[in-house]
Amino acid sequence: MEFTAEIDIMPLDALLDPQGKAVSGSMKNLGLSEITNVRIGKHITLKVKAKDKSEAEAKVDEACKKLLANQIMEKYSFSLKELVA
Amino acid sequence: MEFTAEIDIMPLDALLDPQGKAVSGSMKNLGLSEITNVRIGKHITLKVKAKDKSEAEAKVDEACKKLLANQIMEKYSFSLKELVA
């Protein structure tokens, strides 16, 4: 079986997000002051082959822990969709 | 009314994603060769005040077009959820 994974990796809520703050400021300059609390992270898509969904989940979780997310500063979440051949 | 927006900004499908390619290669080194086609983009969350959902959508769309996404190389999509005070 093959699955596509959609992964979101965001700065931990307690952490300051300087990039997000800067973009929030720019919103005001664009006349979009109703937009606040901008926080910026990574969106990653990938394909994973596995014998079933739970194995696919375990592999994506391992990839997040080992490579994609820095767990000291970031949190991650993901969803899986089966790819119909 | 206030809404939270979840925005995904990804490289256009036709474009090479060197960062994604590099990460795909690293997966092999981690023994996760079942993971392929890694593509990396931005996940942005923000809050927006508006009188209704369609106005909120228009503001987020404007923010994506003017600031958050580089439409020559990126595509964007977003979802809105009403914040219950």
Side-chain angles (χ1 to χ4, degrees), chain A residues 2 6 8-10 23 26-27 30-32 34-50 59-60 62-63 66-68, chain B residues 2 6 8-10 23 26-27 30-32 34-50 59-60 62-63 66-68:
Chain A
E2 190 164 28
E6 301 259 347
D8 288 331
I9 299 172
M10 293 301 287
V23 171
S26 309
M27 291 294 180
L30 288 173
L32 290 168
E34 303 82 4
I35 290 182
T36 58
N37 295 78
V38 178
R39 290 184 73 79
I40 300 175
K42 290 174 277 197
H43 183 70
I44 296 175
T45 60
L46 53 82
K47 286 188 180 142
V48 54
K49 287 194 177 83
K59 288 197 184 294
V60 174
E62 187 182 349
K66 282 187 176 173
L67 186 65
L68 302 174
Chain B
E2 191 164 30
E6 301 260 347
D8 288 329
I9 299 172
M10 294 302 286
V23 170
S26 309
M27 292 295 180
L30 288 173
L32 290 168
E34 303 82 4
I35 290 181
T36 59
N37 295 76
V38 177
R39 291 183 72 78
I40 300 174
K42 289 174 277 194
H43 183 69
I44 297 173
T45 60
L46 55 81
K47 287 189 179 137
V48 52
K49 288 193 176 84
K59 289 196 185 294
V60 174
E62 188 182 348
K66 284 188 175 172
L67 185 66
L68 302 174

Side-chain angles (χ1 to χ4, degrees), chain A residues 13-26:
Chain A
D13 297 339
L15 285 184
L16 192 65
D17 177 5
Q19 208 182 359
K21 270 232 174 314
V23 171
S24 292
S26 309

